[in-house]
Amino acid sequence: MIEDQFQRDPKPLKIANRTFKSRLFVGTGKFSSTKSMRDAIELSCTEMVTVALRRIDLTKPMEEEDIIASLDLTKIQLLPNTSGARDAEEAVRLARIAREMGGGNWIKLEVTPDPYYLLPDGKETLKATEILVKEGFVVLPYIQADPILAKQLQEAGAATVMPLGSPIGSNQGIRTKESIKIIIEQAEVPVVIDAGLGLPSHVAEAFEMGADAVLVNTAIAISVHSGYSAFSFALATLAGREAYLNGIYGNTNARTLELSYESNTWKKASASSPLTGFLDEENR
Amino acid sequence: MQEKEFSHYIQNYPFKEVQQRIYYLNEEKNHTQKTIERIIEKTYQDEHIRWDEFLYLLTKPALDYIEELAQIAQRITRKRFGKTVLLYAPLYLSNECKSICTYCGFRYDNPIKRKTLTVEEAIQEAMILHSQGIRHILLLTGEDYRNTPISYIGEVAEKLQRHFSSIGIEIYPLKQNEYEYLRTKGVDSLTIYQETYDPERYREVHLQGVKRRMEFRLNCPDRAGKAGLRRIGIGALLGLSDPQTEVAMVGLHAQYLQKRYWKTQITVSLPRLRPAENIKNVPLISDSLYALFFIALRIFLPDVSLILSTRESPRFRDNMIPICITQISAGSKTEPGGYSGYDTTEQFHISDTRSVADIVNMLKQKDLDPVFTDWVYVMK
């Protein structure tokens, strides 16, 4: 049903030599189980899934890996990522190993020297992109919302640019809006907003702004029902894209919304299922 | 001006003064609780809390808020780490030791069954762990520079590199160039517990050996950070001095390391003293206060990986892990050759003796994903 809606798009998304109906890309980290990850992938209707190479045993063929084995690769483009790489050299080595182990030649380039905010290092990302493009990789680099860097990456042959909305896993939405607008205005390759999208409304906003695709991981993975949550992001993808195509501009100043995890534990601790009940009896 | 190393930095925070401050907060219940409520408000605004605010969360008056703080800690943990828990296993290469530490079963003057594994035996032990799915391994020794030299550690690491995603060491303190050497052999992480941050107690419990040099040990994580290791684990052995103050100092140390060695992941563990060979009179730290320490650390340092030892009971671990723990060992043995069934003396007594498979099942029941691989050998 929802796949049919994706079909309506008059300008399907094209990256390198592949066409995508769905503009929602999904990450595979932080899920509680392979099952909840599978639910999310299925209900999101995504056609592009990114997998962290550091989470994979790279000494054996990739199709033997749980995460990969559970993906229908006839429908889904596998996008290995280099998260954890601290410089161009490490990222390039990871990409090569991924290709050798059967991960294909698409690579989401993440060069993140600081392990906390995981912010991308533009200089090293550009260097790695130049090398990998020459070696025949389809490179999707994760970057700061830096319009000049986006241009340089396009010149170096990147297949897309993936500016961040806000730091990975922060769920803060699009805090780099003005810069991303410039990137969208100037880009000659698809612009994928990646990182920090915590609510369906953030995703809708990304498409209203004219983004070509979004990548969501944490918000789906840590929600109570990953599957339904992924579905809500798919709906938001459709809504935002339709709005953009049909010129609904409105006032898209994002309001920051209070996230409410797990039935409002935000507000006050709920007495019904206390986390620390086990401490009532001291038994040492 | 940047302080040279942690031993210089810590001079601004004398243990006794921090202890007095915490004592005051324990006594001044009204003031402390009002401030805790303000701190809780701050966390709802997604604001980071400062170290001086962190002290309030370690106090006895904070116990009245433990449930709410646990909910906050859980929310932060989910956001920063997702629903995952990283599994690893220790591999004791040796229980030979030249130091005398009053709290440890390996102490030099203890007449125990000593053994240092040969390289072949070490590989054999490691492959038993490998067959259980373990890919993050931690190599441990006592404090014996001669019987377990770094060339030996390096040789073991080099042979294991192909089989394991991550190789850590928990051995005697080294110099920077020695960490650099071990990095070339495939070691990517270091664990080194200060045991106690209280200089007076440090002198009292470390009677002999290199371990007596408190400053050399204190700056060990600095040297590893400069050498470019990817993960550094620190901690205090709770029960040697005032536990609240120890945790305050561990928090300070972790925050300092995060800022200074910004490319390195910091992990924190807070082992409680357990009975071991010839160790009696273990002081009591209540479960509630102990749980509070982890919860407070999580709120203070959202990105630090928190480890809960197999010294703790299955029940305590099972309940704490979903709140804020992100890394645990499973199926552990604390004696050299333990996985192969050698009869040697363990360092301390394990309370959670469940197998890797049992731990995996427990995590799955808690809706958590056991992660075996979170590293790649090319990223050493």
Side-chain angles (χ1 to χ4, degrees), chain B residues 158-182:
Chain B
E158 194 167 34
K159 291 230 161 72
L160 294 180
Q161 207 181 163
R162 281 186 313 116
H163 305 287
F164 291 87
S165 315
S166 166
I167 299 170
I169 49 168
E170 187 173 344
I171 63 173
Y172 44 86
L174 300 176
K175 301 190 184 91
Q176 186 183 328
N177 61 347
E178 293 171 319
Y179 288 125
E180 284 163 1
Y181 159 79
L182 286 177

PDB file of all heavy atoms in Angstrom, chain B residues 158-182:
ATOM      1  N   GLU B 158      49.838 -10.475  18.878  1.00  0.00           N
ATOM      2  CA  GLU B 158      50.056 -10.602  17.436  1.00  0.00           C
ATOM      3  C   GLU B 158      49.426 -11.884  16.891  1.00  0.00           C
ATOM      4  O   GLU B 158      48.814 -11.896  15.835  1.00  0.00           O
ATOM      5  CB  GLU B 158      51.552 -10.593  17.167  1.00  0.00           C
ATOM      6  CG  GLU B 158      51.906 -10.374  15.708  1.00  0.00           C
ATOM      7  CD  GLU B 158      53.388 -10.046  15.548  1.00  0.00           C
ATOM      8  OE1 GLU B 158      54.206 -10.577  16.321  1.00  0.00           O
ATOM      9  OE2 GLU B 158      53.697  -9.256  14.657  1.00  0.00           O
ATOM     10  N   LYS B 159      49.544 -12.954  17.666  1.00  0.00           N
ATOM     11  CA  LYS B 159      48.985 -14.233  17.214  1.00  0.00           C
ATOM     12  C   LYS B 159      47.455 -14.226  17.267  1.00  0.00           C
ATOM     13  O   LYS B 159      46.795 -14.961  16.539  1.00  0.00           O
ATOM     14  CB  LYS B 159      49.528 -15.372  18.103  1.00  0.00           C
ATOM     15  CG  LYS B 159      51.032 -15.597  17.866  1.00  0.00           C
ATOM     16  CD  LYS B 159      51.311 -17.074  17.631  1.00  0.00           C
ATOM     17  CE  LYS B 159      52.639 -17.330  16.958  1.00  0.00           C
ATOM     18  NZ  LYS B 159      53.795 -17.098  17.847  1.00  0.00           N
ATOM     19  N   LEU B 160      46.893 -13.414  18.169  1.00  0.00           N
ATOM     20  CA  LEU B 160      45.430 -13.400  18.330  1.00  0.00           C
ATOM     21  C   LEU B 160      44.762 -12.409  17.384  1.00  0.00           C
ATOM     22  O   LEU B 160      43.550 -12.446  17.185  1.00  0.00           O
ATOM     23  CB  LEU B 160      45.065 -13.040  19.769  1.00  0.00           C
ATOM     24  CG  LEU B 160      45.460 -14.061  20.842  1.00  0.00           C
ATOM     25  CD1 LEU B 160      45.036 -13.570  22.211  1.00  0.00           C
ATOM     26  CD2 LEU B 160      44.815 -15.418  20.553  1.00  0.00           C
ATOM     27  N   GLN B 161      45.574 -11.527  16.813  1.00  0.00           N
ATOM     28  CA  GLN B 161      45.024 -10.421  16.051  1.00  0.00           C
ATOM     29  C   GLN B 161      44.062 -10.852  14.948  1.00  0.00           C
ATOM     30  O   GLN B 161      43.036 -10.211  14.715  1.00  0.00           O
ATOM     31  CB  GLN B 161      46.188  -9.645  15.449  1.00  0.00           C
ATOM     32  CG  GLN B 161      45.845  -8.226  15.227  1.00  0.00           C
ATOM     33  CD  GLN B 161      46.952  -7.405  14.608  1.00  0.00           C
ATOM     34  OE1 GLN B 161      46.661  -6.371  14.125  1.00  0.00           O
ATOM     35  NE2 GLN B 161      48.201  -7.849  14.609  1.00  0.00           N
ATOM     36  N   ARG B 162      44.413 -11.951  14.285  1.00  0.00           N
ATOM     37  CA  ARG B 162      43.584 -12.394  13.154  1.00  0.00           C
ATOM     38  C   ARG B 162      42.215 -12.876  13.615  1.00  0.00           C
ATOM     39  O   ARG B 162      41.259 -12.863  12.860  1.00  0.00           O
ATOM     40  CB  ARG B 162      44.278 -13.538  12.410  1.00  0.00           C
ATOM     41  CG  ARG B 162      45.379 -13.066  11.478  1.00  0.00           C
ATOM     42  CD  ARG B 162      45.951 -14.218  10.659  1.00  0.00           C
ATOM     43  NE  ARG B 162      46.246 -15.396  11.471  1.00  0.00           N
ATOM     44  CZ  ARG B 162      45.630 -16.571  11.326  1.00  0.00           C
ATOM     45  NH1 ARG B 162      44.671 -16.709  10.439  1.00  0.00           N
ATOM     46  NH2 ARG B 162      45.979 -17.592  12.081  1.00  0.00           N
ATOM     47  N   HIS B 163      42.145 -13.341  14.859  1.00  0.00           N
ATOM     48  CA  HIS B 163      40.916 -13.999  15.313  1.00  0.00           C
ATOM     49  C   HIS B 163      39.977 -13.079  16.083  1.00  0.00           C
ATOM     50  O   HIS B 163      38.803 -13.376  16.239  1.00  0.00           O
ATOM     51  CB  HIS B 163      41.276 -15.197  16.203  1.00  0.00           C
ATOM     52  CG  HIS B 163      42.203 -16.163  15.547  1.00  0.00           C
ATOM     53  ND1 HIS B 163      41.789 -17.011  14.533  1.00  0.00           N
ATOM     54  CD2 HIS B 163      43.522 -16.418  15.727  1.00  0.00           C
ATOM     55  CE1 HIS B 163      42.824 -17.745  14.128  1.00  0.00           C
ATOM     56  NE2 HIS B 163      43.880 -17.402  14.842  1.00  0.00           N
ATOM     57  N   PHE B 164      40.511 -11.979  16.612  1.00  0.00           N
ATOM     58  CA  PHE B 164      39.696 -11.139  17.493  1.00  0.00           C
ATOM     59  C   PHE B 164      39.583  -9.711  16.955  1.00  0.00           C
ATOM     60  O   PHE B 164      40.541  -9.170  16.410  1.00  0.00           O
ATOM     61  CB  PHE B 164      40.294 -11.123  18.908  1.00  0.00           C
ATOM     62  CG  PHE B 164      40.160 -12.451  19.604  1.00  0.00           C
ATOM     63  CD1 PHE B 164      41.115 -13.438  19.450  1.00  0.00           C
ATOM     64  CD2 PHE B 164      39.038 -12.727  20.379  1.00  0.00           C
ATOM     65  CE1 PHE B 164      40.976 -14.680  20.056  1.00  0.00           C
ATOM     66  CE2 PHE B 164      38.888 -13.966  20.995  1.00  0.00           C
ATOM     67  CZ  PHE B 164      39.858 -14.944  20.833  1.00  0.00           C
ATOM     68  N   SER B 165      38.411  -9.126  17.107  1.00  0.00           N
ATOM     69  CA  SER B 165      38.204  -7.748  16.639  1.00  0.00           C
ATOM     70  C   SER B 165      38.969  -6.773  17.497  1.00  0.00           C
ATOM     71  O   SER B 165      39.429  -5.744  17.023  1.00  0.00           O
ATOM     72  CB  SER B 165      36.727  -7.370  16.726  1.00  0.00           C
ATOM     73  OG  SER B 165      35.922  -8.371  16.242  1.00  0.00           O
ATOM     74  N   SER B 166      39.036  -7.070  18.783  1.00  0.00           N
ATOM     75  CA  SER B 166      39.660  -6.112  19.687  1.00  0.00           C
ATOM     76  C   SER B 166      40.476  -6.857  20.734  1.00  0.00           C
ATOM     77  O   SER B 166      40.018  -7.844  21.301  1.00  0.00           O
ATOM     78  CB  SER B 166      38.571  -5.273  20.380  1.00  0.00           C
ATOM     79  OG  SER B 166      39.124  -4.581  21.475  1.00  0.00           O
ATOM     80  N   ILE B 167      41.683  -6.369  20.963  1.00  0.00           N
ATOM     81  CA  ILE B 167      42.530  -6.949  22.002  1.00  0.00           C
ATOM     82  C   ILE B 167      42.887  -5.855  22.995  1.00  0.00           C
ATOM     83  O   ILE B 167      43.468  -4.834  22.629  1.00  0.00           O
ATOM     84  CB  ILE B 167      43.822  -7.559  21.403  1.00  0.00           C
ATOM     85  CG1 ILE B 167      43.442  -8.685  20.422  1.00  0.00           C
ATOM     86  CG2 ILE B 167      44.726  -8.089  22.516  1.00  0.00           C
ATOM     87  CD1 ILE B 167      44.588  -9.194  19.610  1.00  0.00           C
ATOM     88  N   GLY B 168      42.504  -6.080  24.235  1.00  0.00           N
ATOM     89  CA  GLY B 168      42.833  -5.123  25.290  1.00  0.00           C
ATOM     90  C   GLY B 168      43.853  -5.731  26.228  1.00  0.00           C
ATOM     91  O   GLY B 168      44.068  -6.944  26.237  1.00  0.00           O
ATOM     92  N   ILE B 169      44.496  -4.859  27.007  1.00  0.00           N
ATOM     93  CA  ILE B 169      45.426  -5.363  28.018  1.00  0.00           C
ATOM     94  C   ILE B 169      45.079  -4.780  29.372  1.00  0.00           C
ATOM     95  O   ILE B 169      44.658  -3.624  29.478  1.00  0.00           O
ATOM     96  CB  ILE B 169      46.913  -5.009  27.696  1.00  0.00           C
ATOM     97  CG1 ILE B 169      47.052  -3.524  27.345  1.00  0.00           C
ATOM     98  CG2 ILE B 169      47.452  -5.891  26.586  1.00  0.00           C
ATOM     99  CD1 ILE B 169      48.488  -3.043  27.291  1.00  0.00           C
ATOM    100  N   GLU B 170      45.229  -5.588  30.395  1.00  0.00           N
ATOM    101  CA  GLU B 170      45.136  -5.103  31.769  1.00  0.00           C
ATOM    102  C   GLU B 170      46.346  -5.682  32.479  1.00  0.00           C
ATOM    103  O   GLU B 170      46.300  -6.785  33.025  1.00  0.00           O
ATOM    104  CB  GLU B 170      43.826  -5.541  32.421  1.00  0.00           C
ATOM    105  CG  GLU B 170      43.623  -4.903  33.785  1.00  0.00           C
ATOM    106  CD  GLU B 170      42.247  -5.174  34.391  1.00  0.00           C
ATOM    107  OE1 GLU B 170      41.325  -5.603  33.663  1.00  0.00           O
ATOM    108  OE2 GLU B 170      42.113  -4.965  35.603  1.00  0.00           O
ATOM    109  N   ILE B 171      47.449  -4.948  32.401  1.00  0.00           N
ATOM    110  CA  ILE B 171      48.729  -5.446  32.914  1.00  0.00           C
ATOM    111  C   ILE B 171      49.383  -4.333  33.735  1.00  0.00           C
ATOM    112  O   ILE B 171      48.759  -3.313  34.008  1.00  0.00           O
ATOM    113  CB  ILE B 171      49.656  -5.900  31.751  1.00  0.00           C
ATOM    114  CG1 ILE B 171      49.997  -4.725  30.841  1.00  0.00           C
ATOM    115  CG2 ILE B 171      48.994  -7.010  30.935  1.00  0.00           C
ATOM    116  CD1 ILE B 171      51.031  -5.037  29.775  1.00  0.00           C
ATOM    117  N   TYR B 172      50.641  -4.524  34.105  1.00  0.00           N
ATOM    118  CA  TYR B 172      51.385  -3.502  34.859  1.00  0.00           C
ATOM    119  C   TYR B 172      51.546  -2.234  33.989  1.00  0.00           C
ATOM    120  O   TYR B 172      51.508  -2.303  32.768  1.00  0.00           O
ATOM    121  CB  TYR B 172      52.758  -4.066  35.246  1.00  0.00           C
ATOM    122  CG  TYR B 172      53.420  -4.811  34.104  1.00  0.00           C
ATOM    123  CD1 TYR B 172      54.192  -4.124  33.161  1.00  0.00           C
ATOM    124  CD2 TYR B 172      53.234  -6.186  33.941  1.00  0.00           C
ATOM    125  CE1 TYR B 172      54.766  -4.788  32.096  1.00  0.00           C
ATOM    126  CE2 TYR B 172      53.812  -6.853  32.868  1.00  0.00           C
ATOM    127  CZ  TYR B 172      54.575  -6.146  31.943  1.00  0.00           C
ATOM    128  OH  TYR B 172      55.122  -6.795  30.874  1.00  0.00           O
ATOM    129  N   PRO B 173      51.721  -1.057  34.630  1.00  0.00           N
ATOM    130  CA  PRO B 173      51.845   0.199  33.872  1.00  0.00           C
ATOM    131  C   PRO B 173      53.079   0.208  32.959  1.00  0.00           C
ATOM    132  O   PRO B 173      54.130  -0.333  33.318  1.00  0.00           O
ATOM    133  CB  PRO B 173      52.012   1.270  34.952  1.00  0.00           C
ATOM    134  CG  PRO B 173      51.567   0.654  36.213  1.00  0.00           C
ATOM    135  CD  PRO B 173      51.789  -0.816  36.087  1.00  0.00           C
ATOM    136  N   LEU B 174      52.915   0.833  31.794  1.00  0.00           N
ATOM    137  CA  LEU B 174      54.028   0.901  30.836  1.00  0.00           C
ATOM    138  C   LEU B 174      54.351   2.351  30.490  1.00  0.00           C
ATOM    139  O   LEU B 174      53.621   3.263  30.848  1.00  0.00           O
ATOM    140  CB  LEU B 174      53.633   0.173  29.535  1.00  0.00           C
ATOM    141  CG  LEU B 174      53.273  -1.304  29.634  1.00  0.00           C
ATOM    142  CD1 LEU B 174      52.808  -1.812  28.275  1.00  0.00           C
ATOM    143  CD2 LEU B 174      54.456  -2.117  30.121  1.00  0.00           C
ATOM    144  N   LYS B 175      55.436   2.518  29.748  1.00  0.00           N
ATOM    145  CA  LYS B 175      55.793   3.841  29.219  1.00  0.00           C
ATOM    146  C   LYS B 175      55.093   4.019  27.866  1.00  0.00           C
ATOM    147  O   LYS B 175      54.674   3.052  27.234  1.00  0.00           O
ATOM    148  CB  LYS B 175      57.307   3.928  29.025  1.00  0.00           C
ATOM    149  CG  LYS B 175      58.108   3.702  30.303  1.00  0.00           C
ATOM    150  CD  LYS B 175      59.579   4.055  30.056  1.00  0.00           C
ATOM    151  CE  LYS B 175      60.428   3.745  31.277  1.00  0.00           C
ATOM    152  NZ  LYS B 175      60.987   2.363  31.218  1.00  0.00           N
ATOM    153  N   GLN B 176      55.059   5.283  27.438  1.00  0.00           N
ATOM    154  CA  GLN B 176      54.359   5.587  26.185  1.00  0.00           C
ATOM    155  C   GLN B 176      54.872   4.763  25.005  1.00  0.00           C
ATOM    156  O   GLN B 176      54.085   4.197  24.244  1.00  0.00           O
ATOM    157  CB  GLN B 176      54.481   7.085  25.869  1.00  0.00           C
ATOM    158  CG  GLN B 176      53.645   7.485  24.655  1.00  0.00           C
ATOM    159  CD  GLN B 176      53.819   8.950  24.300  1.00  0.00           C
ATOM    160  OE1 GLN B 176      54.039   9.780  25.184  1.00  0.00           O
ATOM    161  NE2 GLN B 176      53.721   9.276  23.022  1.00  0.00           N
ATOM    162  N   ASN B 177      56.208   4.670  24.875  1.00  0.00           N
ATOM    163  CA  ASN B 177      56.734   3.956  23.697  1.00  0.00           C
ATOM    164  C   ASN B 177      56.407   2.458  23.759  1.00  0.00           C
ATOM    165  O   ASN B 177      56.313   1.789  22.737  1.00  0.00           O
ATOM    166  CB  ASN B 177      58.248   4.192  23.540  1.00  0.00           C
ATOM    167  CG  ASN B 177      59.033   3.678  24.734  1.00  0.00           C
ATOM    168  OD1 ASN B 177      58.448   3.370  25.782  1.00  0.00           O
ATOM    169  ND2 ASN B 177      60.336   3.566  24.604  1.00  0.00           N
ATOM    170  N   GLU B 178      56.205   1.945  24.969  1.00  0.00           N
ATOM    171  CA  GLU B 178      55.844   0.528  25.090  1.00  0.00           C
ATOM    172  C   GLU B 178      54.395   0.305  24.649  1.00  0.00           C
ATOM    173  O   GLU B 178      54.075  -0.714  24.031  1.00  0.00           O
ATOM    174  CB  GLU B 178      56.070   0.051  26.536  1.00  0.00           C
ATOM    175  CG  GLU B 178      57.551   0.050  26.901  1.00  0.00           C
ATOM    176  CD  GLU B 178      57.799  -0.202  28.388  1.00  0.00           C
ATOM    177  OE1 GLU B 178      57.043   0.353  29.232  1.00  0.00           O
ATOM    178  OE2 GLU B 178      58.746  -0.946  28.713  1.00  0.00           O
ATOM    179  N   TYR B 179      53.531   1.290  24.963  1.00  0.00           N
ATOM    180  CA  TYR B 179      52.154   1.199  24.445  1.00  0.00           C
ATOM    181  C   TYR B 179      52.157   1.296  22.919  1.00  0.00           C
ATOM    182  O   TYR B 179      51.405   0.596  22.237  1.00  0.00           O
ATOM    183  CB  TYR B 179      51.265   2.284  25.051  1.00  0.00           C
ATOM    184  CG  TYR B 179      50.932   2.042  26.503  1.00  0.00           C
ATOM    185  CD1 TYR B 179      51.194   2.998  27.473  1.00  0.00           C
ATOM    186  CD2 TYR B 179      50.351   0.844  26.910  1.00  0.00           C
ATOM    187  CE1 TYR B 179      50.898   2.772  28.811  1.00  0.00           C
ATOM    188  CE2 TYR B 179      50.053   0.597  28.247  1.00  0.00           C
ATOM    189  CZ  TYR B 179      50.334   1.567  29.187  1.00  0.00           C
ATOM    190  OH  TYR B 179      50.042   1.329  30.507  1.00  0.00           O
ATOM    191  N   GLU B 180      53.028   2.167  22.420  1.00  0.00           N
ATOM    192  CA  GLU B 180      53.112   2.306  20.961  1.00  0.00           C
ATOM    193  C   GLU B 180      53.558   0.986  20.331  1.00  0.00           C
ATOM    194  O   GLU B 180      53.022   0.562  19.298  1.00  0.00           O
ATOM    195  CB  GLU B 180      54.082   3.440  20.584  1.00  0.00           C
ATOM    196  CG  GLU B 180      53.453   4.813  20.809  1.00  0.00           C
ATOM    197  CD  GLU B 180      54.472   5.949  20.861  1.00  0.00           C
ATOM    198  OE1 GLU B 180      55.691   5.672  20.709  1.00  0.00           O
ATOM    199  OE2 GLU B 180      54.052   7.100  21.066  1.00  0.00           O
ATOM    200  N   TYR B 181      54.512   0.332  20.984  1.00  0.00           N
ATOM    201  CA  TYR B 181      54.986  -0.968  20.486  1.00  0.00           C
ATOM    202  C   TYR B 181      53.828  -1.987  20.482  1.00  0.00           C
ATOM    203  O   TYR B 181      53.612  -2.698  19.493  1.00  0.00           O
ATOM    204  CB  TYR B 181      56.154  -1.463  21.354  1.00  0.00           C
ATOM    205  CG  TYR B 181      56.396  -2.955  21.278  1.00  0.00           C
ATOM    206  CD1 TYR B 181      57.073  -3.515  20.188  1.00  0.00           C
ATOM    207  CD2 TYR B 181      55.940  -3.802  22.285  1.00  0.00           C
ATOM    208  CE1 TYR B 181      57.277  -4.893  20.112  1.00  0.00           C
ATOM    209  CE2 TYR B 181      56.143  -5.173  22.212  1.00  0.00           C
ATOM    210  CZ  TYR B 181      56.807  -5.711  21.130  1.00  0.00           C
ATOM    211  OH  TYR B 181      57.003  -7.063  21.057  1.00  0.00           O
ATOM    212  N   LEU B 182      53.071  -2.038  21.575  1.00  0.00           N
ATOM    213  CA  LEU B 182      51.977  -3.015  21.652  1.00  0.00           C
ATOM    214  C   LEU B 182      50.885  -2.706  20.628  1.00  0.00           C
ATOM    215  O   LEU B 182      50.213  -3.611  20.145  1.00  0.00           O
ATOM    216  CB  LEU B 182      51.398  -3.077  23.073  1.00  0.00           C
ATOM    217  CG  LEU B 182      52.297  -3.799  24.087  1.00  0.00           C
ATOM    218  CD1 LEU B 182      51.675  -3.744  25.484  1.00  0.00           C
ATOM    219  CD2 LEU B 182      52.547  -5.260  23.692  1.00  0.00           C
TER     220      LEU B 182
END
